[in-house]
Amino acid sequence: MAGEIWAIGEIVDGQPTRLSRELATLAASLAATAGRGARSVLVGAGAGDAAQALAAHGPDVLAVEADTADRPAATVIAGHVAALVREHQPSFLLVGASNDGRDVAGILQALLEWGTLVNAAGVAWQDGGPQAEMSVFGGRLSTLSHLASDHGIVIVRPSAVTAEEAAQPGRVERAEPSDVPELAAVRVVERIREASAAVSIEEAPVIVAGGRGVGGPDGFGVVEDLADALGGVVGATRAVVDAGWIGYAHQIGQTGKTVKPALYVAAGISGAIQHKVGMQLSGTIVAVNRDPDAPIAEFADLMVVGDLFEILPRVSAAVRARRGG
Amino acid sequence: MRIVVLLKAVPVVGNEKLVDGWRVDRSAGLEANGNDEYVLEAGLKLIEQHGGELVTLTMGPTPALEAIRKALAMGAARAVHVQDPALAGSDALATGRVLAAALSRMEYDLVFVGADTSDGQGGVVGAAIATRLGSPYLSYAARIEPDPSAGTVRVRRISATGYDVIEAPMPALVAGTQLLGEPRYPSLRGIMQARSKQIATWSLADLGIDASSVGSGASLTDVDSATPPPARAGATVVRDAPDVAAERIVEFLAARRLI
Ligand SMILES: Cc1cc2nc3c(=O)[nH]c(=O)nc-3n(C[C@H](O)[C@H](O)[C@H](O)COP(=O)(O)OP(=O)(O)OC[C@H]3O[C@@H](n4cnc5c(N)ncnc54)[C@H](O)[C@@H]3O)c2cc1C
Ligand SMILES: Nc1ncnc2c1ncn2[C@@H]1O[C@H](COP(=O)(O)O)[C@@H](O)[C@H]1O
């Protein structure tokens, strides 16, 4: 039988990440179309427990207990997955486009000498292999690509699919691969938690983003309030991150995150190309800007000319009134 | 301290010249990849602090020279340019192989790469190179602190829940982000000095790599089709006073079932 499709998961705070759940659902649906087997793989401390949660999405889970206390998770995951691949000979690996996921994919690419499709916004099964949809050249084109071999890695962006529970949960199988390749040691000295890092703007259905027009760190108050009213999260431009008004985890654009929410509200944002590439595929774009000629007018759906400090609070109040009444 | 910075020359974002529908024309208008300029800046500061030499390494066609010259004008001591007609269309796998082969012919304490590229968007080449070289790999760096006397490097790595402080012996490979700080502009003096700096050109033969193992022919990924995303209809413009403007926003969102 042709090789399996594997979803390589990640554990954060003892649970499989949302992206891992999406990959499990994706692996199951691709495998169903392809008539192949699917499996999830979880490596790390507490893999057994996290695997129970991941198994709800259908594919059986290979769980490898491994110590990640003082080593970066990616090196531990990649080494064990490489050993499991040699043992089980799957054909395709789906890896998440998170920081750790990209590291895992890069290490596996070199260890396995497999081709890699990067940054897939969607994956279909086509002509005997995965076909990835990717936005390229600043969003000017959307490409469909495939692997020119019967093996490979696909790096999948958040929200390419919606995670779904399967009617029949998978089984959890403990694995202890042998001959795990030894990767050069990196030691974790300290892990620091920061509340601001925990925002997952890549997964949010609504983003209200603020730019230099908010005028200062306090100016984000009206942005946060509207995000709260709309049930969304706060995004930002690089200009305000560089200014220290808000954390880098909120930055959207070329050197920040790429997002695709149903609604993107841009407040006091000019719409520079480096910002545009990170948000132009949003479903609906509403801009609030004092300058009618700001570049964002060229790709917004609704361009509201005016002062964000006068307009945003009124929108928040109206949205809340609608919800309430 | 010897630092090698991997610098990719990429088409100017939003201004790419496309040929054959989707292939990007790399014959002109290339600039240094944004993230690579951040690690270059971090490297230049470390050389100023610890002494030593910073060398850039680029794989790319002739127009990449513009980005290389800018790096020399910013303060890099010299550059290595891997250039070969057979390299056109190489995928990430081949790129990692070639750059690892070039690095194995260089001497360094640290290799810096960008967290990802604006054209390739992979963010995988650094990890692949470190793995091939058997070097420690410290990624998503917001701060890089080598300790030459201890022979180690410490990195503040951005994580899903905050950041990790990680450490490894040198030589090591570090992938850096925008948080390392704004790159400097080349000074007039820097631009003048760059003219006499050395740019070594290495071919695949120099690296002992078989031309058939790289380039578009050997690429393990192929593009099936490329289409522009659906065009936006153009913005509805609202210029009313705040009360009315807010009302119109809410109506617009409601009509689209977003609230
Ligand atoms: C290599 C590189 C990478 C980059 N990566 C990114 C990236 O990832 N993300 C990113 O965002 N940028 C990025 N940039 C920077 C980008 O080029 C722009 O500088 C940045 O996006 C501008 O941010 P802004 O819109 O907040 O500020 P500005 O361009 O200054 O715009 C502010 C806007 O606010 C409006 N305004 C002011 N006051 C008010 C008010 N009271 N009410 C309403 N409107 C008001 C103004 O009319 C103006 O249009 C990058 C640049 C480079 C070179
Ligand atoms: N052709 C290249 N020449 C030099 N460095 C490169 C090249 N391709 C990738 N890199 C380095 O690897 C990093 C990650 O690239 P990528 O995986 O393509 O996003 C870049 O930021 C560069 O530092």
Side-chain angles (χ1 to χ4, degrees):
Chain A
M1 185 174 139
E4 291 179 345
I5 301 165
W6 282 11
I8 311 302
E10 282 174 45
I11 306 168
V12 172
D13 290 338
Q15 288 296 315
T17 60
R18 172 167 149 174
L19 183 51
S20 308
R21 296 173 185 271
E22 292 171 359
L23 295 183
T25 296
L26 180 59
S29 86
L30 291 175
T33 311
R36 296 182 181 223
R39 237 193 266 233
S40 297
V41 181
L42 270 185
V43 179
D49 291 337
Q52 295 295 345
L54 193 57
H57 300 281
D60 292 348
V61 187
L62 278 177
V64 183
E65 272 305 327
D67 189 6
T68 46
D70 63 353
R71 295 197 55 193
T75 48
V76 179
I77 296 172
H80 284 88
V81 171
L84 288 171
V85 166
R86 289 195 177 122
E87 232 169 80
H88 296 266
Q89 309 274 322
S91 290
F92 302 107
L93 307 180
L94 308 179
V95 183
S98 60
N99 286 7
D100 282 342
R102 287 196 169 99
D103 286 355
V104 167
I107 297 169
L108 286 172
Q109 175 186 82
L111 289 176
L112 303 172
E113 298 281 353
W114 281 10
T116 308
L117 293 169
V118 303
N119 234 352
V123 186
W125 189 263
Q126 190 68 36
D127 299 330
Q131 185 187 52
E133 183 195 337
M134 182 187 173
S135 170
V136 295
F137 305 137
R140 282 164 67 199
L141 288 178
S142 171
T143 55
L144 295 176
S145 309
H146 69 271
L147 291 155
S149 129
D150 53 6
H151 290 104
I153 302 168
V154 186
I155 303 178
V156 184
R157 297 190 46 78
S159 305
V161 294
T162 307
E164 275 160 21
E165 304 227 327
Q168 180 80 32
R171 289 168 307 141
V172 174
E173 187 187 332
R174 301 274 183 151
E176 259 180 79
S178 49
D179 297 327
V180 176
E182 200 56 54
L183 296 162
V186 177
R187 191 170 69 90
V188 177
V189 181
E190 210 180 353
R191 293 190 198 273
I192 308 290
R193 294 187 83 94
E194 278 184 329
S196 68
V199 288
S200 41
I201 56 174
E202 287 161 298
E203 296 166 353
V206 176
I207 294 176
V208 183
R212 219 193 301 259
V214 307
D218 299 338
F220 265 100
V222 291
V223 174
E224 274 160 22
D225 191 52
L226 180 56
D228 185 56
L230 291 169
V233 301
V234 174
T237 64
R238 170 167 156 196
V240 298
V241 172
D242 280 353
W245 299 352
I246 193 166
Y248 177 57
H250 295 267
Q251 183 180 317
I252 292 159
Q254 188 186 320
T255 47
K257 293 190 171 117
T258 305
V259 297
K260 204 178 163 181
L263 171 61
Y264 192 93
V265 181
I269 292 177
S270 61
I273 179 70
Q274 294 91 350
H275 186 73
K276 182 182 175 192
V277 299
M279 47 65 77
Q280 65 191 331
L281 297 179
S282 302
T284 293
I285 299 173
V286 175
V288 180
N289 198 306
R290 274 200 312 222
D291 176 7
D293 298 322
I296 198 153
E298 285 159 32
F299 55 97
D301 299 297
L302 189 70
M303 175 73 185
V304 184
V305 182
D307 188 330
L308 71 93
F309 292 103
E310 296 188 44
I311 293 170
L312 262 50
R314 288 177 166 84
V315 178
S316 302
V319 169
R320 289 208 173 92
R322 243 182 116 87
R323 287 257 160 80
Chain B
M1 172 134 300
R2 296 157 305 176
I3 301 177
V4 178
V5 171
L6 265 61
L7 183 83
K8 186 179 186 188
V10 296
V12 179
V13 174
N15 227 350
E16 303 88 354
K17 256 173 66 196
L18 302 178
V19 288
D20 302 340
W22 62 270
R23 259 175 239 281
V24 66
D25 177 3
R26 290 180 196 267
S27 66
L30 302 186
E31 62 179 14
N33 178 48
N35 278 321
D36 300 356
E37 286 202 341
Y38 302 127
V39 289
L40 172 60
E41 176 62 37
L44 291 171
K45 287 214 179 83
L46 288 173
I47 297 293
E48 283 159 10
Q49 191 185 338
H50 297 282
E53 187 189 56
L54 185 149
V55 181
T56 61
L57 168 61
T58 300
M59 167 185 140
T62 306
L65 280 168
E66 202 168 321
I68 295 172
R69 288 203 193 96
K70 183 178 176 198
L72 293 174
M74 285 168 74
R78 56 191 174 85
V80 174
H81 185 189
V82 179
Q83 186 179 14
D84 200 299
L87 284 169
S90 292
D91 62 1
L93 185 65
T95 302
R97 219 181 270 145
V98 171
L99 290 171
L103 281 168
S104 66
R105 285 164 173 72
M106 301 172 79
E107 288 187 352
Y108 53 81
D109 302 297
L110 290 170
V111 177
F112 288 177
V113 304
D116 65 11
T117 43
S118 58
D119 61 344
Q121 302 175 32
V124 292
V125 165
I129 294 172
T131 306
R132 287 180 193 281
L133 295 173
S135 290
Y137 176 62
L138 302 94
S139 59
Y140 297 98
R143 191 181 291 172
I144 307 170
E145 291 169 329
D147 181 344
S149 58
T152 56
V153 59
R154 253 184 198 216
V155 157
R156 178 183 280 209
R157 179 188 191 270
I158 302 164
S159 76
T161 48
Y163 65 88
D164 298 341
V165 179
I166 58 179
E167 188 182 274
M170 298 193 281
L173 193 144
V174 180
T177 66
Q178 175 198 309
L179 291 184
L180 291 168
E182 191 75 21
R184 67 194 62 187
Y185 287 100
S187 65
L188 202 55
R189 192 161 153 256
I191 294 169
M192 300 300 287
Q193 284 175 338
R195 292 192 183 149
S196 55
K197 288 180 178 171
Q198 184 209 12
I199 303 176
T201 308
W202 294 357
S203 67
L204 284 172
D206 293 332
L207 297 178
I209 291 177
D210 183 355
S212 68
S213 70
V214 299
S216 48
S219 171
L220 288 179
T221 61
D222 282 326
V223 177
D224 299 314
S225 69
T227 43
R232 290 189 177 271
T236 305
V237 181
V238 172
R239 291 168 182 271
D240 304 284
D243 282 325
V244 181
E247 223 168 86
R248 289 193 58 190
I249 295 176
V250 173
E251 279 164 17
F252 179 86
L253 296 180
R256 292 198 174 200
R257 295 179 191 283
L258 290 164
I259 47 174

